[in-house]
Amino acid sequence: MAKMNFGGVEENVMTREEFPLEKAREILKDETIAVIGYGVQGPGQSLNLRDNGFNVIVGQRAGKTYDKAVADGWVPGKTLFSIEEACQKASIIMCLLSDAAVMSVWPKIKQYLTAGKALYFSHGFAITWNDRTGCVPPADIDVIMVAPKGSGTSLRTMFLEGRGLNSSYAVYQDYTGKAMDRTLALGIGIGSGYLFETTFQKEATSDLTGERGSLMGAIQGLLLAQYEVLREHGHSPSEAFNETVEELTQSLMPLFAKNGMDWMYANCSTTAQRGALDWFPRFHDAVKPVLEWLYLSVKTGNEAQISIDSNSKPDYREGLEKELKALRESEMWQTAVTVRKLRPENN
């Protein structure tokens, strides 16, 4: 475990150089790993584990997702089973179902959590708010987590490119004395870049804050507000979209992702530099109270309860599709469809 300096703060991180794949294989050589759920994280994690030489099977209910697993090479009766049968066969149960699905399937999983097994998550939600989810694990198993900082699609794509997606890791319960080794070995096995330490509670809280904040909710709100202001002042959809979204995602994001915000500022016009330096404190001061409000809503469990309540409604899927349809058909994102078609790589 290496101590790394992040902006003056030391953190524990594990790299692939310190914990090589060969060591991970040795630790898990006698384990049967069952990936439960083949939706968002399931394909990337299971396929990476399979390609890295681990003994992995998949548990999935019948339907389109089951058919996708078959198309990806999982063989019914050999490496693809029902959720119950996969849990029975496994010594490590990787629960990669959605938060709502975890709650509904939990009774099926729990009956197979026998002494010495490990229960693995990639999100702290179900355990952190188990007074609301009902997911209380037995005391005689390991409860562990590796949470890739991105989608399962990104995890798989970066793995195939020879890169790794960074992940956090945590041990909630160590019954066997092997929980940390199991955790780190699985983190390396699924193709993580480096692994940084957290807790189930911190991961769940930061994840929900990030999704509602800068990763999804806040960025959509900010982009839409700027697009609307430009349109309301007579700018065309194309101009408003390019100045709001296209330049951000296609030009500027790659610059500060690679070298940092200061480098991006230094490589923009002096007019852009001056304006950005003058205005970012105003946005900071306007937005921080909203984020404090958001964090409190997450930490108190209010956001978890909202998710549980909405996901439990029988017409949840229909309502969600209606909201997504409205977003998809809005002028800004319909403009995006045309702009993407006009990108050089599509012509």
Side-chain angles (χ1 to χ4, degrees), residues 102-175:
V102 172
M103 290 185 287
S104 65
V105 177
W106 177 250
K108 294 180 181 179
I109 295 174
K110 189 175 182 180
Q111 63 181 314
Y112 297 107
L113 293 175
T114 52
K117 287 193 176 185
L119 176 63
Y120 165 111
F121 291 93
S122 282
H123 188 19
F125 188 105
I127 296 296
T128 298
W129 293 292
N130 60 17
D131 58 327
R132 300 164 189 261
T133 65
C135 299
V136 180
D140 56 359
I141 66 167
D142 294 342
V143 182
I144 62 180
M145 177 176 66
V146 178
K149 298 298 104 180
S151 69
T153 301
S154 298
L155 182 74
R156 181 62 176 166
T157 300
M158 293 174 74
F159 174 84
L160 293 173
E161 293 173 350
R163 301 186 293 146
L165 186 64
N166 298 331
S167 302
S168 60
Y169 70 91
V171 173
Y172 179 81
Q173 188 168 283
D174 183 5
Y175 173 75

Side-chain angles (χ1 to χ4, degrees), residues 54-71:
F54 295 89
N55 180 24
V56 58
I57 60 177
V58 171
Q60 176 59 42
R61 290 171 290 194
K64 289 182 180 179
T65 309
Y66 186 96
D67 296 339
K68 182 182 186 307
V70 172

Side-chain angles (χ1 to χ4, degrees), residues 19-35 45-46 48-50 52-57 89-94 116-120 142 144-146 176-192 195:
F19 203 108
L21 185 57
E22 293 74 20
K23 181 178 179 180
R25 289 193 189 113
E26 179 63 26
I27 289 170
L28 300 178
K29 66 181 180 181
D30 297 323
E31 305 268 21
T32 298
I33 305 163
V35 171
Q45 294 200 34
S46 61
N48 290 0
L49 283 166
R50 186 178 72 182
N52 273 332
F54 295 89
N55 180 24
V56 58
I57 60 177
K89 291 177 178 294
S91 56
I92 298 175
I93 297 173
M94 297 177 69
K117 287 193 176 185
L119 176 63
Y120 165 111
D142 294 342
I144 62 180
M145 177 176 66
V146 178
T176 65
K178 303 184 297 181
M180 184 60 76
D181 279 348
R182 280 170 146 176
T183 304
L184 294 173
L186 287 164
I188 296 300
I190 67 170
S192 299
L195 294 143

